[in-house]
Amino acid sequence: MKVSQATQWYIFFKDNLLIQKNANGNYSIPFGIQPPIAPSDGQRIHRVLLPTGIYVFTFMINYPIAETNLWLMKGLRASFDYLALDDYRAAGKAYQILYWDQHSRYCPVCGTATKQHTDIMKKCPQCGYELYPPISTAIIVLIRRDDEILLVHARNFRGTFFGLVAGFLEAGETLEQCVQREVMEETGLTIRNITYFDSQPWPYPSGLMVGFFADYESGEIKLQDDELSAGAFYHRNNLPELPQKLSLARRLIDTWLEGKDC
């Protein structure tokens, strides 16, 4: 793919992103007409349109880049601590496009090799089936009870922090119905006053998190054992370790702590 003007290059080895070290001690995404390294054999360069209307480019390599005084590689989550927020978000979209490319090489209907038609569409030359980057929608909810909130530790959490009840939207559900179902399934509690907060792309690997506030109504906590290892209501003055700042969960919690959730 020919690039006519300088742009950012989002280069990944698996889910590790190549980051440039700058003389001022900051970090950035490589920028230029040409990428700093070439894509590995068989890897396509993808053009990615950002919400700002700017195009950037992304591709995979099949080997890690050793850290030097100019470069380092960091996992996509960890890159949040190094990059400007807009660059971190752009990296997330770039990774989702690469993940889609890797998982859409063949038509799921007839098994024929697919062909890329646009930046975000592949088509089967045999049966005409079209493939677009899929997005898995999930809800996450902060449940209030007076000066307490419900915090849980999921078995798939990478760490000792406590977060919020979350789960994937099922076919035929509204988002609010999903919130009610997930809370009941995972904790045995009923809730009320479900209100929308915000949403966040969650590129691990291709999700959209939709956040809500809700109020406790009734019930005793009965944890879904295969999903959660711990859970309880915690007072605002005695909270456990919380999720990282990059997450919508943390934004929900911080908004509640600041009294801005009404």
Side-chain angles (χ1 to χ4, degrees):
M1 179 178 291
K2 186 176 180 180
V3 178
S4 59
Q5 61 184 23
T7 185
Q8 288 181 314
W9 294 91
Y10 290 84
I11 301 169
F12 286 88
F13 167 66
K14 298 182 178 179
D15 66 345
N16 292 288
L17 175 66
L18 182 66
I19 298 174
Q20 184 170 332
K21 296 179 180 179
N22 300 320
N24 60 5
N26 293 328
Y27 300 87
S28 62
I29 297 299
F31 185 85
I33 294 179
Q34 297 294 328
I37 57 174
S40 297
D41 290 343
Q43 295 296 329
R44 175 187 175 94
I45 295 177
H46 291 265
R47 187 176 68 166
V48 179
L49 177 62
L50 302 181
T52 57
I54 296 172
Y55 283 102
V56 298
F57 292 83
T58 187
F59 60 85
M60 283 278 189
I61 55 177
N62 59 14
Y63 56 92
I65 300 296
E67 183 170 354
T68 67
N69 61 353
L70 185 60
W71 305 112
L72 79 159
M73 297 202 85
K74 285 292 177 182
L76 184 56
R77 287 176 189 261
S79 72
F80 177 83
D81 296 323
Y82 292 80
L83 299 176
L85 183 58
D86 285 346
D87 290 346
Y88 164 75
R89 289 171 173 167
K93 181 167 184 177
Y95 181 72
Q96 289 185 71
I97 295 299
L98 294 175
Y99 183 86
W100 165 68
D101 180 48
Q102 289 181 321
H103 291 80
S104 59
R105 302 288 173 90
Y106 296 93
C107 175
V109 177
C110 68
T112 302
T114 57
K115 291 187 176 180
Q116 189 118 14
H117 276 245
T118 72
D119 292 340
I120 57 168
M121 192 270 276
K122 293 184 181 183
K123 192 171 185 177
C124 174
Q126 180 67 30
C127 70
Y129 186 80
E130 297 179 356
L131 297 94
Y132 297 85
I135 303 296
S136 299
T137 303
I139 62 87
I140 187 164
V141 55
L142 183 146
I143 302 169
R144 303 167 292 206
R145 189 179 70 178
D146 298 323
D147 261 358
E148 299 176 320
I149 55 172
L150 180 67
L151 294 173
V152 297
H153 186 273
R155 296 194 181 278
N156 64 352
F157 281 174
R158 300 176 181 177
T160 57
F161 67 90
F162 278 63
L164 305 176
V165 172
F168 286 102
L169 183 72
E170 294 186 356
E173 284 185 321
T174 66
L175 292 168
E176 291 80 5
Q177 288 170 337
C178 181
V179 171
Q180 290 178 314
R181 175 184 55 78
E182 286 290 345
V183 172
M184 174 56 69
E185 287 179 355
E186 294 193 7
T187 69
L189 302 178
T190 58
I191 55 175
R192 56 187 174 85
N193 298 333
I194 300 171
T195 55
Y196 172 77
F197 171 65
D198 201 357
S199 61
Q200 177 187 27
W202 195 243
Y204 305 110
S206 53
L208 174 70
M209 298 295 294
V210 185
F212 293 87
F213 288 107
D215 292 318
Y216 166 83
E217 184 172 80
S218 64
E220 298 293 329
I221 296 176
K222 298 178 181 178
L223 297 178
Q224 187 177 19
D225 186 63
D226 60 339
E227 294 281 345
L228 304 177
S229 59
F233 281 97
Y234 288 86
H235 192 274
R236 65 171 59 245
N237 296 328
N238 188 33
L239 297 176
E241 181 185 351
L242 298 176
Q244 291 179 302
K245 291 285 188 179
L246 67 90
S247 67
L248 185 58
R250 182 58 179 269
R251 287 179 53 208
L252 280 157
I253 295 169
D254 288 345
T255 299
W256 173 75
L257 286 170
E258 295 165 4
K260 299 178 180 179
D261 56 309
C262 299

